[in-house]
Amino acid sequence: MPPSKAFSRVSRILLLLISLSLAGEENYGRRILVPSKGSPRLTAAVDDLAGSLERMTGAAFTVEASPSDLGAAAIVVMRTDDAMLPEELRQRLEGAGPESYLLQSSDAERLWIVANHDDGLSHGIYDFLERLGCRWYYPNANWELIPERGDITLRLDEVVAPTFISRNFFGTGGFGPRNPVDPTLEMRSRWENWKRRNRFGDQLIGYGHVGHGFSIKYADALREHPDYRAMIKGERVEYRPAIKFCASNAEVLALFVEDRLREMRERVAREPESLSSSFVGADPSDSGGFCECEACRAIGNGSISDQVFHVANVVARAIAEEFPGRGVSMYAYGYYADLPSIDLEPNLHVTVIPYAFQKTGMTGDELLLAWGERIARDGLNRIAPLSLYTYWSITDWGRNLPDFDFRRTPPEHIRFWHDQGVRAIRFESTHSAGAIGLGLNLAVRLMWDPSTDTAPLIEEFYDRSFGPAVPPMRRMLERWAADFMLTRQELAFSFRDLEEGWRLADSDAVRARIGDYVQYVQYLRLWHTFSNAHEGEPKGSEAEARDLAKLLWRLYPSAMVHTYRLWQLLGYRQVAAIKEYFDPTKPDAPEWAEAIPPDEAELRQWIAAGVADYPLLGFEIRRFTGELEPLEPAIQLGEGFGPAYSSIHSTTFHLQVPGGMATLPVQLSLRHWHEGQEVKLVAYDAAGKQLIERAYAAPGRQAEPELHTIEIPVSGPGQVRIEIFDQKNGFTLRGPAGVPMVLSPLIPNGWARVYFYVPKGLRKLALYNPRRNVSASLFDPDGEEIVLEQNDALVVMEIPEGQDGRVWSIRRPGSSSPVILLNAPRYFALSPETMMIPADGRTITDEDSH
């Protein structure tokens, strides 16, 4: 050990001994008094309390269960139903709920941690430890930060209650069966422990799809009675496990109601006071297939939502009659996300799922707001508050890539949801600390208190995790959060950041945390190699898939990736042979012997190889800002143009309105795909004031396109922004002649040719064009075609002398996802004459560099 490090360690020990001698018995007597009977959650929290305080102070803390005499000094962990609790403390928590807690300590002798329920006691313990400086950033021992301190006494007098009564998440796919790397499924316990330590929790447990289980359980009845089954296109469907039943058939509905009552009876008998016995679910099975018979179409206005919530109402009435105060839990989701026209029973608890799979014609925010108003109007929040189920970085979609913006998304979204009345949130997410660990860590603090300033928490995370290696680690993580795209350039940056961080690290602990990120970036490298080398091939490369699968299981202990789900997706959706490779159900397979975590030497090798194999490409991602302005304001503009586009969420158009117009006429032509779904157009002025909103039903796949002329009121010259929310229905938007018009920020699907501006001084143009899409061709300002040769999704090309500061174009006949310009303004036109760019997008004066 270097002399400086040895001296530093001795100094810390001496300081700790001095502080211990000063503190002595003042640290609450080093006693912890706890209830004689506590839940497993509370027992685990008490163990953490005693262990953490010993690690801080170097002195053991005794744990005593309900002594007859509290003694002079102790940390007292006590429920309000304990007869020894002073009445004034009990009264402060009266009616405060199961997760609220009181922290009170006026001297060094006694700390009260009091709650109505063991969950509240657990939260109070971890709040106290957090105030002392304990942090559990990720579910990995490297990220458990327990400070050294001799004095652990605090002056406290505070009742704390969570703003959101449900704050929870799960990783899609879970952890799978036991496996040779983790024969006891410790990883599942580690994530649950991490959630407990960070004060996740549920006062409200809802239940989703139960129709699938019902159809399996009553398969014989559904087979024997065709009229029980849904009718589609005039025929009763054949039985299958996910079948929908006929909502208007009294017999099958009675069978479903009795099944739900039986479930509630079993729960109440098993755990009468548990949250799990508050509700039963009544959702149908996932996906479509709802009944179209005349009687079902007569329910309400004939919508699927009316059909589904009619069934829920029948169940809710039966539950209310037999179990007053209990209710039915329902999703507002997919085909039945829209608000029903029928009245809803007051013991119906609705969880809204607005940000995916819904086809209402409303944005996610609009749908959430509409349901919030309906729930408040109907008094449904008497039994439970407005609840939200949403998707953050799920493995199936994001493959554990670090594209979650932990800086902005948690505070912006959670504060917005709070303002709309949401008080219960459940995230479908991932068990990948690398992808979203910090984001979830910040989110739970906002769910306790939406006013929390997360910026200092992020800075504390950097400082305490990385010490002198903060600059490169902050640079890497914030670059990922700002605009992550998995390219050769990003891997070049990331390996160099890790190389610098490793060099600057001043302790084994810091190096271990950087090492976890080395493992994570190595996963990004192998995923990049696999996905880019074989995009478009249905089965990909078995050899590269095997390399990736082996790495996933080697990285399993780090918790930086969601190993099991990634392995599942790799085998079941991409390379079938991987289902037999590292199969958890075959623990004796020889490949398991290779699932050894990397040691420090290998981590260093991975860094060196990454730096060597990924040279910097001489550009950086740029974002351009400022008011849009026509590129050539004096030019005589030609005819209007009409981009055809199909999007998932919305498309944004910007138009420059000249003087002399009282209205801005645009033409919206609707195309095909989903008959009856709405396509919505909303226009705003430059200040964000809404000018007009129109919604139209899509005509359906076989119908001719429908043309709608829309007169947008304008008050003079200036910019108008048009948002079109089309739910994957094709459309054409056509602006008037003489009006510059662009869209942003992505080159969208199905375009023949679009134009963009290359700033003056830009030497290398970079764009992101995933190889799963149709190949793109560039055209220089003189119309000469440049066929792009891609090694992966990243395209970098030299801009010839004299071709910068001009309008280029790109053609890509069709695609499944958009092209992204990385260092040129992300605004596109259908002709050079109608081009507009941000004010600072004309010229680049400094050379791009890392």
Side-chain angles (χ1 to χ4, degrees):
M1 178 185 298
S4 60
K5 288 190 175 182
F7 177 77
S8 175
R9 182 169 295 180
V10 170
S11 299
R12 287 198 301 270
I13 293 172
L14 288 174
L15 289 172
L16 182 60
L17 291 174
I18 292 170
S19 62
L20 282 173
S21 66
L22 293 175
E25 293 295 323
E26 294 182 353
N27 277 331
Y28 306 120
R30 297 201 297 272
R31 298 170 65 227
I32 303 171
L33 309 184
V34 301
S36 57
K37 292 183 179 180
S39 65
R41 182 186 182 98
L42 177 58
T43 300
V46 170
D47 289 345
D48 270 344
L49 176 62
S52 298
L53 295 180
E54 181 174 355
R55 289 174 62 183
M56 285 185 206
T57 65
F61 280 66
T62 61
V63 178
E64 305 172 29
S66 291
S68 57
D69 180 11
L70 296 181
I75 297 172
V76 182
V77 179
M78 187 172 286
R79 288 189 300 266
T80 52
D81 60 2
D82 194 306
M84 297 183 68
L85 182 69
E87 183 61 26
E88 64 270 18
L89 300 186
R90 188 189 333 275
Q91 290 178 1
R92 293 182 66 182
L93 285 165
E94 188 173 347
E99 289 193 292
S100 302
Y101 54 88
L102 166 68
L103 297 177
Q104 187 188 76
S105 178
S106 58
D107 53 40
E109 290 193 351
R110 178 160 299 167
L111 167 68
W112 290 97
I113 302 177
V114 184
N116 294 323
H117 189 276
D118 283 1
D119 287 354
L121 293 178
S122 173
H123 295 325
I125 286 170
Y126 289 111
D127 186 353
F128 172 60
L129 289 174
E130 187 171 319
R131 293 172 194 242
L132 292 174
C134 297
R135 300 291 182 270
W136 289 271
Y137 285 123
Y138 298 159
N140 172 334
N142 294 336
W143 298 90
E144 297 177 9
L145 281 67
I146 311 297
E148 294 177 351
R149 54 186 297 166
D151 183 4
I152 53 92
T153 61
L154 298 175
R155 291 190 178 274
L156 299 166
D157 189 12
E158 186 176 353
V159 173
V160 182
T163 299
F164 290 81
I165 66 170
S166 287
R167 313 163 306 284
N168 215 335
F169 78 94
F170 72 98
T172 311
F175 301 97
R178 299 171 188 270
N179 62 76
V181 173
D182 187 5
T184 63
L185 282 188
E186 178 195 357
M187 184 61 72
R188 180 168 61 193
S189 299
R190 280 167 54 184
W191 276 96
E192 289 304 313
N193 291 341
W194 182 79
K195 289 201 288 186
R196 184 188 68 250
R197 290 163 171 167
N198 284 285
R199 294 186 294 153
F200 285 87
D202 268 317
Q203 293 182 41
L204 183 67
I205 298 179
Y207 299 90
H209 305 296
V210 299
H212 192 104
F214 173 80
S215 64
I216 293 174
K217 186 175 181 180
Y218 296 95
D220 290 344
L222 289 165
R223 286 192 178 99
E224 292 169 8
H225 300 275
D227 55 321
Y228 284 9
R229 306 194 295 264
M231 176 182 286
I232 296 178
K233 296 181 179 179
E235 300 289 338
R236 295 289 175 180
V237 297
E238 293 296 320
Y239 172 79
R240 59 186 179 86
I243 195 174
K244 305 294 191 299
F245 60 77
C246 178
S248 60
N249 183 290
E251 292 180 3
V252 72
L253 187 53
L255 193 63
F256 184 68
V257 169
E258 182 56 34
D259 179 74
R260 300 293 79 214
L261 284 169
R262 186 179 299 112
E263 177 73 17
M264 180 64 88
R265 292 172 191 135
E266 292 173 358
R267 287 182 186 167
V268 171
R270 187 171 57 245
E271 296 180 288
E273 303 302 322
S274 170
L275 294 171
S276 65
S277 62
S278 299
F279 298 97
V280 290
D283 272 79
S285 59
D286 205 351
S287 194
F290 294 90
C291 190
E292 300 171 354
C293 77
E294 185 175 345
C296 283
R297 286 188 175 272
I299 298 171
N301 63 12
S303 71
I304 293 175
S305 287
D306 283 339
Q307 183 180 143
V308 169
F309 283 96
H310 161 72
V311 172
N313 272 343
V314 175
V315 177
R317 286 192 288 270
I319 292 292
E321 183 176 352
E322 186 170 340
F323 299 98
R326 304 180 194 268
V328 169
S329 173
M330 286 291 295
Y331 288 154
Y333 166 78
Y335 292 91
Y336 51 97
D338 211 349
L339 282 72
S341 67
I342 61 176
D343 292 335
L344 300 178
E345 293 297 314
N347 65 331
L348 200 59
H349 169 231
V350 180
T351 296
V352 187
I353 307 180
Y355 298 106
F357 304 115
Q358 59 98 349
K359 308 179 191 323
T360 64
M362 290 183 272
T363 66
D365 288 350
E366 289 170 341
L367 181 61
L368 179 66
L369 182 61
W371 265 106
E373 292 173 347
R374 173 67 183 273
I375 287 170
R377 187 197 77 190
D378 291 2
L380 302 188
N381 53 1
R382 290 200 300 270
I383 190 167
L386 177 60
S387 299
L388 172 71
Y389 183 109
T390 192
Y391 304 87
W392 274 10
S393 199
I394 69 172
T395 308
D396 297 40
W397 299 345
R399 294 301 196 275
N400 287 178
L401 303 185
D403 52 7
F404 183 82
D405 190 346
F406 60 84
R407 303 166 307 169
R408 295 182 178 86
T409 300
E412 290 178 1
H413 287 207
I414 290 171
R415 287 170 188 155
F416 171 78
W417 295 332
H418 172 263
D419 291 345
Q420 307 316 309
V422 175
R423 293 297 182 270
I425 302 177
R426 187 172 182 83
F427 300 101
E428 184 170 346
S429 187
T430 180
H431 295 300
S432 165
I436 202 171
L438 182 55
L440 289 170
N441 196 290
L442 297 169
V444 73
R445 279 146 184 81
L446 287 157
M447 288 186 285
W448 274 87
D449 179 3
S451 69
T452 299
D453 184 358
T454 57
L457 299 180
I458 294 170
E459 288 305 310
E460 181 191 57
F461 166 78
Y462 291 143
D463 292 340
R464 295 194 60 185
S465 298
F466 305 120
V470 164
M473 298 304 293
R474 177 196 283 120
R475 184 170 62 234
M476 181 179 75
L477 295 178
E478 300 213 349
R479 186 179 61 250
W480 290 354
D483 208 353
F484 180 82
M485 277 164 277
L486 185 54
T487 66
R488 290 169 291 141
Q489 176 85 332
E490 179 51 57
L491 290 169
F493 284 161
S494 294
F495 278 115
R496 282 162 177 77
D497 290 334
L498 292 169
E499 181 185 48
E500 182 181 345
W502 193 280
R503 186 175 66 250
L504 294 174
D506 65 343
S507 69
D508 292 341
V510 168
R511 218 165 354 258
R513 290 189 279 273
I514 294 174
D516 284 337
Y517 272 104
V518 174
Q519 295 182 63
Y520 181 59
V521 173
Q522 184 69 6
Y523 159 70
L524 298 180
R525 174 178 184 164
L526 265 65
W527 173 252
H528 174 265
T529 300
F530 170 77
S531 61
N532 280 282
H534 298 280
E535 285 283 2
E537 296 182 17
K539 295 184 178 180
S541 162
E542 183 175 334
E544 288 169 346
R546 283 175 174 266
D547 289 342
L548 182 56
K550 182 167 76 172
L551 180 73
L552 290 173
W553 287 103
R554 294 189 66 197
L555 304 189
Y556 182 99
S558 73
M560 295 300 283
V561 296
H562 191 168
T563 292
Y564 177 72
R565 187 57 173 174
L566 286 168
W567 170 83
Q568 269 193 317
L569 296 172
L570 188 62
Y572 285 83
R573 295 190 185 178
Q574 291 178 282
V575 182
I578 298 304
K579 290 187 288 187
E580 306 299 324
Y581 189 58
F582 285 99
D583 183 348
T585 66
K586 298 176 180 178
D588 297 327
E591 59 265 22
W592 286 107
E594 302 177 19
I596 301 170
D599 58 17
E600 182 173 314
E602 190 170 15
L603 295 177
R604 294 170 68 96
Q605 290 172 6
W606 285 350
I607 294 173
V611 171
D613 294 343
Y614 295 97
L616 294 172
L617 300 177
F619 80 92
E620 64 179 18
I621 294 175
R622 289 180 176 270
R623 287 297 184 95
F624 297 89
T625 59
E627 186 175 343
L628 289 178
E629 52 190 35
L631 186 61
E632 299 290 347
I635 199 164
Q636 179 64 42
L637 297 177
E639 294 298 319
F641 57 90
Y645 183 38
S646 175
S647 72
I648 296 176
H649 299 295
S650 64
T651 310
T652 303
F653 298 86
H654 304 267
L655 297 88
Q656 182 71 35
V657 181
M661 276 190 170
T663 62
L664 174 68
V666 297
Q667 290 184 333
L668 178 66
S669 177
L670 303 184
R671 296 183 180 271
H672 50 267
W673 294 113
H674 307 294
E675 181 178 0
Q677 287 186 10
E678 285 190 343
V679 175
K680 184 166 62 177
L681 179 149
V682 187
Y684 305 87
D685 66 14
K689 177 184 176 183
Q690 182 174 310
L691 301 174
I692 196 170
E693 178 177 332
R694 294 288 184 269
Y696 305 95
R701 181 182 293 271
Q702 304 302 323
E704 290 295 319
E706 293 181 353
L707 182 65
H708 302 275
T709 299
I710 304 164
E711 299 285 344
I712 301 173
V714 294
S715 57
Q719 293 203 0
V720 170
R721 184 178 87 251
I722 296 176
E723 301 276 354
I724 296 182
F725 183 72
D726 75 321
Q727 303 186 91
K728 295 187 178 181
N729 291 287
F731 70 87
T732 295
L733 183 69
R734 192 172 293 277
V739 174
M741 178 176 172
V742 294
L743 74 152
S744 67
L746 309 174
I747 302 174
N749 307 341
W751 291 47
R753 189 166 175 177
V754 291
Y755 293 81
F756 63 94
Y757 178 73
V758 173
K760 185 70 175 176
L762 188 67
R763 301 273 68 90
K764 289 183 179 180
L765 175 68
L767 58 87
Y768 185 69
N769 180 39
R771 292 192 68 197
R772 66 174 64 89
N773 300 324
V774 175
S775 297
S777 293
L778 277 178
F779 297 86
D780 69 18
D782 299 320
E784 293 294 324
E785 183 174 358
I786 304 167
V787 178
L788 300 179
E789 296 183 2
Q790 291 184 246
N791 295 319
D792 63 6
L794 178 65
V795 178
V796 182
M797 61 165 291
E798 299 286 343
I799 299 295
E801 188 72 28
Q803 301 286 43
D804 55 328
R806 301 180 66 186
V807 175
W808 287 57
S809 60
I810 186 170
R811 180 177 66 201
R812 193 178 53 165
S815 65
S816 59
S817 63
V819 169
I820 304 172
L821 293 176
L822 301 183
N823 60 349
R826 298 178 186 180
Y827 292 88
F828 307 97
L830 261 291
S831 71
E833 294 80 10
T834 56
M835 190 74 233
M836 291 195 294
I837 59 172
D840 69 347
R842 290 182 179 271
T843 303
I844 292 178
T845 57
D846 60 315
E847 185 66 19
D848 288 325
S849 62
H850 174 42

